[in-house]
Amino acid sequence: MVLGICPTVDFAFKKTFGDQANSVALISLLNAILELAQPITSVVIENPFNYQDFDNDKLSILDVKATDTQGTIFHIEMQVSATPAMAQRLAFYACELYAGQLSDGKPYTRLCPVYSICLLNDTLWRTDPTSHHRFRLADTQTGRILEPSLEIHLLELPKYTVQESDLAEATQVARWVYWLCHAQEYEAARLRTLLPQEGFQQATQAIETIALKTEDKTMYDTRIKAERDRQASLEWAMKTGIEKGREEGMEKGIEKGREEGMEKGIEKGIEKGIEKGIEKGIEKGREEGMEKGREEGREKGLQAGSFIGRILLCQKLLGRPETPSAELQIRSLQDLQELASQLEADLRNR
């Protein structure tokens, strides 16, 4: 019987790599990705697997944080989909881990290197064929690396094309990507034959246990359902937000168009009044300004209304206080777009 347990699902991933008993699997994965001059030989998991992290169908970012004997920090997480602010988020978390090492009064010499890894089951840069991205603090002129400090790795899993027939000659990181993406399709015995190294053996045993243990399988199925429900909710929120934004945008656009039309009409009337008379120019300017104002107001209003609708809906779904419409209306389109994108990202990662 095939395992049927996908390692990229948060519960399976954390139970496989977030259990100290499976440290060999975690070390093998880290060494494959980082390719350090001195391979990692032992780690202590700082946030070990806990069933309570998965209670109540709560969807949250579940990562694995470990340290070695020198204090080096290793952070690894699985992400199902790319978010608009993913690049900023990766940088923020890595910097937070690095700076968070020092308490008051501690010298900078106490800082240890931080390696932050994101396994993304999606593509972030679709036009770039690179599958494994490595980021360091480097001098753009000389290429000199500021180390030991930060290193961020992003692996876009769909860009790996290794097949079963390629495994014997594939790199270790490609083998791990294959295991992460295809383990659920195999029987445990066949998977052990294809990937006989100790790290893979331990990881395969971990997901086999999930498949066989009633409590774990139930929790795994619950997580699958929660993720599907979240995706459906997000799609519904986007659709509803757009529709509501159109309606509110039409109303607000007409109103705003009238106001802008009056202002533009007066300005245009004064210009024409120089040639044809102040009184006639103002009258004609109002008429032309009103029409132009309505057209521009509708366009801007539709855009602003769409963003406002998305913002209010996301805030409601997130349980946050809704920003007064009057306050949102005075914001620029760029501000509204950025706020809507951030809230939608928060909703996806909730």
Side-chain angles (χ1 to χ4, degrees):
M1 181 181 295
V2 297
L3 290 166
I5 301 297
C6 180
T8 61
V9 173
D10 54 7
F11 177 81
F13 184 82
K14 186 66 181 282
K15 199 167 195 302
T16 299
F17 298 104
D19 188 337
Q20 191 65 46
N22 298 333
S23 61
V24 172
L26 176 60
I27 291 170
S28 175
L29 179 61
L30 291 174
N31 280 329
I33 294 171
L34 299 177
E35 296 182 306
L36 301 176
Q38 296 294 327
I40 305 163
T41 58
S42 65
V43 293
V44 174
I45 298 174
E46 302 295 336
N47 58 341
F49 173 85
N50 189 328
Y51 282 102
Q52 293 180 354
D53 292 336
F54 301 89
D55 285 347
N56 303 318
D57 294 346
K58 181 181 179 183
L59 285 169
S60 58
I61 299 169
L62 293 166
D63 53 4
V64 176
K65 179 182 176 184
T67 57
D68 64 9
T69 54
Q70 284 74 44
T72 302
I73 297 173
F74 305 98
H75 170 259
I76 185 167
E77 66 176 0
M78 171 63 66
Q79 282 290 315
V80 175
S81 58
T83 60
M86 174 158 281
Q88 295 92 326
R89 180 181 162 278
L90 291 175
F92 176 82
Y93 281 169
C95 292
E96 190 175 46
L97 285 170
Y98 189 69
Q101 298 178 67
L102 289 188
S103 55
D104 293 341
K106 298 294 183 181
Y108 295 118
T109 53
R110 298 288 295 275
L111 288 169
C112 295
V114 169
Y115 296 90
S116 185
I117 302 167
C118 178
L119 301 172
L120 177 62
N121 202 16
D122 195 1
T123 52
L124 182 60
W125 295 293
R126 300 187 184 280
T127 59
D128 183 354
T130 305
S131 55
H132 184 174
H133 306 273
R134 302 165 175 85
F135 304 98
R136 293 178 177 176
L137 298 179
D139 186 329
T140 57
Q141 300 296 321
T142 66
R144 183 179 293 110
I145 306 297
L146 193 62
E147 58 183 355
S149 56
L150 299 174
E151 192 165 306
I152 300 173
H153 291 250
L154 173 65
L155 281 71
E156 298 176 273
L157 304 189
K159 291 182 179 179
Y160 284 86
T161 58
V162 64
Q163 302 295 317
E164 179 182 311
S165 58
D166 304 325
L167 288 176
E169 303 298 325
T171 63
Q172 190 74 341
V173 69
R175 291 173 185 167
W176 269 114
V177 171
Y178 188 85
W179 184 89
L180 286 166
C181 295
H182 299 285
Q184 70 273 15
E185 304 165 9
Y186 288 90
E187 294 181 352
R190 175 59 178 163
L191 200 56
R192 291 189 176 97
T193 300
L194 288 172
L195 298 164
Q197 294 92 344
E198 185 180 4
F200 292 107
Q201 298 287 313
Q202 197 173 79
T204 298
Q205 179 62 49
I207 61 170
E208 184 180 24
T209 299
I210 295 174
L212 297 175
K213 188 176 179 181
T214 302
E215 179 185 8
D216 285 356
K217 184 60 167 61
T218 300
M219 183 66 77
Y220 173 86
D221 291 340
T222 299
R223 301 301 294 176
I224 291 285
K225 179 180 181 300
E227 175 59 26
R228 289 172 180 164
D229 290 347
R230 187 186 74 87
Q231 290 290 348
S233 177
L234 184 59
E235 291 173 4
W236 175 85
M238 291 287 291
K239 180 180 178 181
T240 304
I242 291 172
E243 292 175 353
K244 186 176 180 181
R246 285 198 186 103
E247 295 173 0
E248 293 186 1
M250 284 294 291
E251 296 176 2
K252 295 185 187 327
I254 292 172
E255 180 181 350
K256 191 171 183 179
R258 288 196 184 98
E259 296 174 356
E260 291 185 0
M262 288 295 291
E263 295 176 1
K264 292 181 183 295
I266 292 172
E267 292 175 4
K268 195 172 181 87
I270 291 173
E271 293 175 1
K272 288 184 177 290
I274 295 174
E275 300 175 0
K276 299 182 180 180
I278 298 297
E279 183 177 350
K280 186 175 181 179
I282 290 176
E283 181 180 350
K284 189 173 183 180
R286 283 199 184 100
E287 294 173 357
E288 294 182 0
M290 285 286 286
E291 183 61 30
K292 186 175 181 181
R294 286 194 185 96
E295 293 177 2
E296 294 183 2
R298 286 192 187 99
E299 183 178 351
K300 292 181 179 178
L302 282 171
Q303 295 181 41
S306 176
F307 291 138
I308 289 171
R310 289 160 58 187
I311 289 167
L312 294 175
L313 186 59
C314 286
Q315 287 177 336
K316 184 175 181 180
L317 291 173
L318 289 166
R320 298 177 182 175
E322 293 186 12
T323 305
S325 294
E327 181 180 329
L328 293 173
Q329 290 170 22
I330 63 176
R331 293 195 181 187
S332 68
L333 286 176
Q334 183 177 354
D335 288 343
L336 292 174
Q337 183 180 16
E338 292 177 355
L339 179 56
S341 297
Q342 184 58 56
L343 288 169
E344 288 167 0
D346 292 345
L347 188 63
R348 292 188 187 98
N349 294 328
R350 187 177 62 175

